[in-house]
């Protein structure tokens, strides 16, 4: 349970909202907070399931589209603060995702996962963390022992890191700098 929908609310494993069906440009403008342990962040995805709700009792409320957002980039940084356009997929009938199971993450190139052409989900993300960064230059400095390239290049790129990011990671930056001097 890592989703918080408001101050003082208990965490939950899923969040449900409503978007009106007959709107030409439906918007879901409800902020949620996702709290994930730093050790689990590289494996974390947000799963979106779009269902049609009907008042008819005999109709099943099956999903008609699914979308996925990976919270980290391949380089180890967290996804950027921006709007992300997520492709929608037709749901697989044999998989009903829950918070406790792993589901295969589709790709638009994978024929096993039919892509809903022309349909997408737009999601805006904002990072609020003192332990994660979206800046690859800062991450390269903090993980300088693992960096395969030239250390001078890492230090040169660090001069362009935003001041707010430097303040957030002041202790870690000093530890890395003194580690380099050893």
């Amino acid at each position: 349970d890592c989703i918080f929908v408001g101050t003082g609310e208990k965490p939950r494993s899923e969040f449900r909202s409503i978007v009106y069906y007959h709107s030409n440009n439906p918007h879901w403008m409800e902020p949620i907070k996702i709290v994930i342990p730093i050790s689990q962040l590289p494996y974390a995805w947000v799963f979106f399931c779009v269902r049609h709700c009907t008042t008819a009792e005999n109709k099943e409320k099956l999903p008609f589209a699914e979308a996925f957002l990976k919270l980290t980039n391949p380089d180890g940084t967290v996804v950027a603060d921006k709007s992300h356009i997520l492709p929608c997929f037709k749901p697989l009938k044999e998989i009903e995702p829950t918070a406790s199971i792993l589901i295969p993450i589709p790709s638009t190139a994978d024929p096993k996962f039919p892509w809903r052409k022309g349909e997408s989900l737009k999601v805006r993300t904002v990072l609020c963390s003192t332990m994660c960064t979206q800046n690859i230059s800062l991450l390269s400095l903090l993980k300088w022992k693992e960096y395969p390239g030239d250390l001078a290049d890492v230090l040169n790129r660090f001069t362009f890191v935003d001041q707010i990011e430097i303040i957030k990671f002041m202790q870690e930056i000093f530890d890395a700098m003194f580690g380099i001097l050893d």
Side-chain angles (χ1 to χ4, degrees):
D1 294 346
C2 64
I3 300 172
F4 294 83
V5 294
T7 305
E9 291 286 322
K10 292 182 180 177
R12 50 179 85 170
S13 62
E14 69 178 24
F15 176 69
R16 293 175 185 241
S17 183
I18 296 172
V19 175
Y20 293 104
Y21 180 66
H22 292 289
S23 174
N24 288 338
N25 294 312
H27 288 275
W28 174 65
M29 298 292 287
E30 298 175 77
I32 61 170
K33 178 171 85 170
I34 301 174
V35 179
I36 299 172
I38 194 78
S39 62
Q40 296 297 313
L41 191 61
Y43 313 105
W45 293 76
V46 179
F47 171 72
F48 299 92
C49 180
V50 184
R51 299 175 193 265
H52 175 72
C53 292
T54 180
T55 56
E57 292 292 325
N58 59 352
K59 274 198 147 181
E60 284 189 69
K61 294 177 172 76
L62 295 173
F64 65 86
E66 296 174 346
F68 304 85
L69 174 65
K70 183 156 174 50
L71 296 179
T72 55
N73 296 316
D75 60 15
T77 58
V78 179
V79 293
D81 291 345
K82 67 176 189 172
S83 293
H84 304 272
I85 307 294
L86 309 176
C88 288
F89 296 89
K90 294 177 184 172
L92 295 175
K93 301 282 188 227
E94 63 271 10
I95 298 176
E96 178 63 29
T98 65
S100 62
I101 65 165
L102 295 174
I103 56 175
I105 305 303
S107 162
T108 54
D110 189 346
K112 190 168 64 174
F113 295 97
W115 181 38
R116 297 184 67 91
K117 293 187 191 315
E119 294 184 17
S120 61
L121 186 66
K122 185 176 182 180
V123 179
R124 175 143 178 79
T125 58
V126 178
L127 174 67
C128 181
S129 173
T130 57
M131 299 175 71
C132 302
T133 184
Q134 297 167 324
N135 189 307
I136 187 63
S137 299
L138 178 59
L139 187 63
S140 298
L141 176 66
L142 296 177
K143 295 185 176 187
W144 66 274
K145 290 180 181 177
E146 302 165 20
Y147 186 72
D150 184 22
L151 194 54
D153 181 48
V154 170
L155 295 172
N156 285 334
R157 289 186 315 175
F158 176 70
T159 60
F160 299 105
V161 172
D162 188 37
Q163 296 170 349
I164 298 295
E165 289 289 296
I166 293 173
I167 291 168
K168 284 192 327 188
F169 293 96
M170 185 81 68
Q171 181 67 44
E172 292 85 355
I173 291 170
F174 280 135
D175 290 346
M177 294 282 197
F178 289 125
I180 291 170
L181 290 174
D182 276 349

